[in-house]
Amino acid sequence: MCGIVGYVGSRDCRDILLRGLARLEYRGYDSVGIAILNGGLHVAKCAGKVRDLERRIAVAPPAGRLGIGHTRWATHGLPDDTNAHPHVSQTGDIALVHNGIIENYAALKQTLSTKGRRFRSQTDSEVVVQLIEAVLEASPGIPFEAAIRLALKQVAGTYGLAIVHAGDPDRLYVARRGSPLIVGLGEGESFVASDATPIVEYTNRVVYLDDGELAVIGPGSCDVRTIDDVPLTKEVHELALSLGAIEKGGYPHFMLKEIHEQPRAIADCLRGRLLPGGGVQLGGLAGLLDRVAAARTLTIVACGTSWHSGLVGEYLIEHLARLPVEVEYASEFRYREPLLAADDVLLAISQSGETADTIAALREAKARGALALGLCNVVGSTLARETDAGVYTHAGPEIGVASTKAFTAQVTALVLVALALAHRRGTIDPGRAAALADELTWIPEKIAAILAQDAAIAVLAQRFTYAPNILYLGRSFNFPVALEGALKLKEISYIHAEGYPAAEMKHGPIALIDRLMPVVVIAATAHTSDKMLANIEEVRARQGRVIAVTTPGQEDVKRLAEFVIEIPETLDALSPLLAVIPLQLFAYHIAVNRGCDVDQPRNLAKSVTVE
């Protein structure tokens, strides 16, 4: 959450900062600001989005060759002009932007206030810049970098920081603990950002900062040390990201673009991994697959949409490999004293690889001796660097806050993991493995066929834009799809929606059903079709409006449902990859009809990097 961008070099940095913030806006869009150094600090900030700041500074735009910027997702303090970043020290000589949460800010603020420090905002972030200046004043002559170190040793919590000092016009200071930061190195210029999207336009050479590191950034240089001033040699990585991948490409929203990218994303996830006869090659798990197959249990941890894909993974792995799987909310995992040992395996799933709760769960598992695996999309992310091994989804960048192609790419990767484990554990015969692998290769084409119904689904969505509540029902492999469909609708349209196992409808939700209640029924698996028919009858008996997602040949479902979205037939284990597509489109079109900001829904941010 929140986005940071910084620049030092020979160019005027204003447009670089603003363009970078626009690309980071999916990480936070409550307020925005920049600080530029040019014979003093020039700060401009406001509540709202990047375009609001651009309008505010249009008359007298600040100029300079060193600056920092921030787009905020509020934690402490309202999203207003005062609480927007950057925050400036009492003398006005130091400016700072911060991602994360300072857990002991109240105690630090009280101490600093008793010493005469005046605070302008209600944020935890301002405490850090005031603390740095207090250290400088208490130790005349101390280098600025040393003052930052001393200040950060008093701070508890998480941070990604970018700091500038009026007396140091050629250096940008950054530090990380728990909140991602990368440094981009160009020719005679350097960039800082909380992810790669603002940097890729200028350079593909980056350094990933790790926790407990502080870097001094000059034009084209990056000196990294630990918080205890131990020099470090950091590897320079090459970004695989392209500028075109983070543009809308003619679509009205990133979300719609990413929904339509799913055939390509799944094909990329499969490429080079399926072998003739149904074998699977997962290079990221090479040498460890036997250990995973012999595990006592496999625990999957994730949040949000990734948790839903983990639930599908539980069904897949238990169904194909007969290995016991537990799926945990990463946010709860550490707080229930998990029982993990050296013969257990944890699989952490995160699109960004930076989800704070998921990273914390991963570290907890490693501390308890378990083998820690990762499944993520972003090469070089914290999750990718800290796991023992893992699998990349290769979905490409996902900018829309509501995940779409991340879900289907994660499920595709989990199918591959389940199939690989089934081979290792001897729980699948060659004919069945070959049939599953063959059907998997047809999934991109079948998704494309569903996407061709976009216009028809848009017309259906118009009928239900009024709905205050919608219920989603699924069974077996498609129960997690019901959860995901409901989440998508909640996230972007602000309609209350709930996903339920279909049989649980009788244990409470059935009380809600009346003639105004739409019920989305996922009847797309052969082995649950009779039970789903009974659920549809129960809804109809209470005058509920049934929208069925089903397959060709399900004539009884089509006869009973008021509205039908037909998807191609596939194996039951692969049906979530198809059944979720119309639910994504349905949510998208309802949100558009309601005038909602689809790509930047209120109160949400793409990467949840705070607990």
Side-chain angles (χ1 to χ4, degrees):
M1 292 183 172
C2 302
I4 287 175
V5 63
Y7 175 81
V8 55
S10 59
R11 294 193 247 185
D12 185 350
C13 67
R14 179 188 63 252
D15 289 341
I16 293 172
L17 297 178
L18 291 173
R19 192 155 52 243
L21 289 175
R23 293 210 171 106
L24 286 170
E25 204 165 21
Y26 69 99
R27 297 180 67 101
Y29 33 88
D30 293 335
S31 58
V32 62
I34 57 175
I36 293 177
L37 193 59
N38 186 2
L41 275 172
H42 304 273
V43 176
K45 58 182 183 174
C46 66
K49 300 189 177 185
V50 175
R51 60 178 177 266
D52 298 309
L53 180 64
E54 289 174 332
R55 284 194 291 265
R56 181 166 292 196
I57 65 174
V59 175
R65 292 179 172 81
L66 184 151
I68 53 176
H70 189 268
T71 182
R72 181 174 183 242
W73 186 87
T75 56
H76 297 67
L78 294 171
D80 58 23
D81 290 9
T82 303
N83 291 326
H85 297 220
H87 291 290
V88 179
S89 64
Q90 190 162 297
T91 64
D93 289 337
I94 307 169
L96 165 152
V97 293
H98 167 230
N99 291 352
I101 292 178
I102 306 303
E103 295 171 359
N104 63 336
Y105 88 99
L108 291 171
K109 186 173 184 177
Q110 183 176 9
T111 300
L112 291 167
S113 295
T114 61
K115 296 179 179 179
R117 294 254 143 211
R118 297 187 305 277
F119 289 84
R120 303 176 182 90
S121 77
Q122 290 78 51
T123 69
D124 55 330
S125 307
E126 187 186 357
V127 170
V128 181
V129 73
Q130 300 284 22
L131 180 60
I132 293 169
E133 187 168 79
V135 171
L136 280 172
E137 291 179 356
S139 305
I142 187 175
F144 186 57
E145 180 183 353
I148 296 173
R149 295 183 195 284
L150 290 173
L152 293 183
K153 288 182 180 181
Q154 301 178 53
V155 168
T158 58
Y159 52 76
L161 295 166
I163 310 164
V164 294
H165 189 285
D168 203 350
D170 297 316
R171 282 190 287 271
L172 180 63
Y173 297 84
V174 296
R176 168 183 172 156
R177 184 202 288 163
S179 192
L181 281 177
I182 63 174
V183 179
L185 299 175
E187 294 297 325
E189 58 185 0
S190 297
F191 307 82
V192 173
S194 42
D195 69 37
T197 53
I199 288 176
V200 65
E201 181 176 354
Y202 308 102
T203 181
N204 67 346
R205 300 174 62 245
V206 299
V207 171
Y208 296 100
L209 293 188
D210 292 309
D211 284 354
E213 294 180 352
L214 189 152
V216 181
I217 314 299
S221 67
C222 176
D223 177 33
V224 185
R225 297 170 181 258
T226 69
I227 201 71
D228 294 316
D229 202 22
V230 177
L232 298 171
T233 300
K234 300 289 289 187
E235 182 180 355
V236 178
H237 299 262
E238 285 197 9
L239 291 174
L241 183 66
S242 69
L243 185 59
I246 58 173
E247 303 291 345
K248 288 181 183 176
Y251 286 91
H253 298 97
F254 280 110
M255 183 180 180
L256 187 61
K257 177 194 177 193
E258 288 153 8
I259 289 172
H260 281 265
E261 284 178 340
Q262 288 174 107
R264 191 271 311 155
I266 290 174
D268 287 349
C269 185
L270 293 174
R271 184 169 291 113
R273 290 170 165 174
L274 281 178
L275 303 176
V280 176
Q281 178 176 280
L282 293 172
L285 298 182
L288 288 174
L289 206 53
D290 286 336
R291 182 175 169 186
V292 180
R296 181 183 60 169
T297 187
L298 172 64
T299 300
I300 295 175
V301 293
C303 300
T305 287
S306 295
W307 187 76
H308 296 158
S309 68
L311 287 176
V312 179
E314 177 182 22
Y315 282 93
L316 288 165
I317 293 168
E318 291 188 347
H319 175 66
L320 295 174
R322 313 305 299 159
L323 175 65
V325 178
E326 297 290 337
V327 183
E328 303 274 1
Y329 282 112
S331 55
E332 287 293 318
F333 183 73
R334 289 176 299 149
Y335 300 106
R336 63 169 194 80
E337 298 185 9
L339 300 175
L340 289 176
D343 57 349
D344 290 320
V345 176
L346 179 131
L347 174 62
I349 306 177
S350 168
Q351 188 280 142
S352 66
E354 302 293 352
T355 309
D357 287 314
T358 305
I359 300 299
L362 163 70
R363 291 168 178 166
E364 178 74 15
K366 291 183 72 172
R368 292 172 181 264
L371 177 66
L373 306 178
L375 194 157
C376 75
N377 187 38
V378 180
V379 176
S381 62
T382 301
L383 184 72
R385 298 199 308 274
E386 293 197 13
T387 46
D388 297 310
V391 178
Y392 284 118
T393 58
H394 299 303
E398 187 176 67
I399 305 300
V401 167
S403 284
T404 51
K405 66 177 179 176
F407 176 81
T408 50
Q410 287 169 355
V411 171
T412 301
L414 287 164
V415 173
L416 295 174
V417 170
L419 190 53
L421 289 172
H423 282 296
R424 284 294 198 281
R425 291 171 63 86
T427 56
I428 192 167
D429 64 71
R432 188 182 179 204
L436 182 65
D438 180 65
E439 178 61 18
L440 199 52
T441 63
W442 287 100
I443 291 295
E445 186 173 318
K446 292 183 177 185
I447 289 178
I450 300 171
L451 293 172
Q453 301 180 57
D454 188 5
I457 294 171
V459 172
L460 177 63
Q462 287 180 333
R463 292 176 176 268
F464 295 101
T465 299
Y466 74 87
N469 304 281
I470 298 184
L471 186 64
Y472 290 72
L473 301 177
R475 287 180 184 260
S476 183
F477 293 102
N478 286 311
F479 160 52
V481 175
L483 294 175
E484 176 62 11
L487 178 63
K488 288 287 93 58
L489 191 70
K490 282 185 280 195
E491 285 179 317
I492 63 172
S493 75
Y494 319 138
I495 291 175
H496 175 254
E498 294 296 336
Y500 268 88
E504 290 298 304
M505 180 180 67
K506 295 186 287 292
H507 296 273
I510 199 168
L512 300 173
I513 296 176
D514 59 20
R515 62 184 178 82
L516 297 177
M517 171 68 87
V519 181
V520 178
V521 178
I522 306 166
T525 52
H527 77 288
T528 64
S529 59
D530 290 343
K531 299 295 185 183
M532 294 306 297
L533 281 171
N535 292 128
I536 294 172
E537 292 277 21
E538 290 163 354
V539 174
R540 279 172 51 91
R542 289 152 184 85
Q543 298 183 300
R545 309 191 70 184
V546 177
I547 305 162
V549 177
T550 191
T551 53
Q554 296 272 14
E555 297 306 322
D556 287 340
V557 172
K558 296 175 185 177
R559 174 177 55 83
L560 292 172
E562 185 177 359
F563 304 97
V564 173
I565 304 172
E566 190 172 278
I567 62 175
E569 193 168 356
T570 189
L571 299 174
D572 285 0
L574 302 182
S575 61
L577 291 167
L578 303 185
V580 76
I581 306 300
L583 305 188
Q584 295 170 348
L585 290 169
F586 185 65
Y588 169 80
H589 288 296
I590 286 180
V592 170
N593 292 341
R594 289 167 63 90
C596 300
D597 190 338
V598 173
D599 285 336
Q600 297 176 356
R602 69 187 183 202
N603 302 334
L604 295 178
K606 184 66 180 174
S607 299
V608 184
T609 57
V610 297
E611 293 187 57

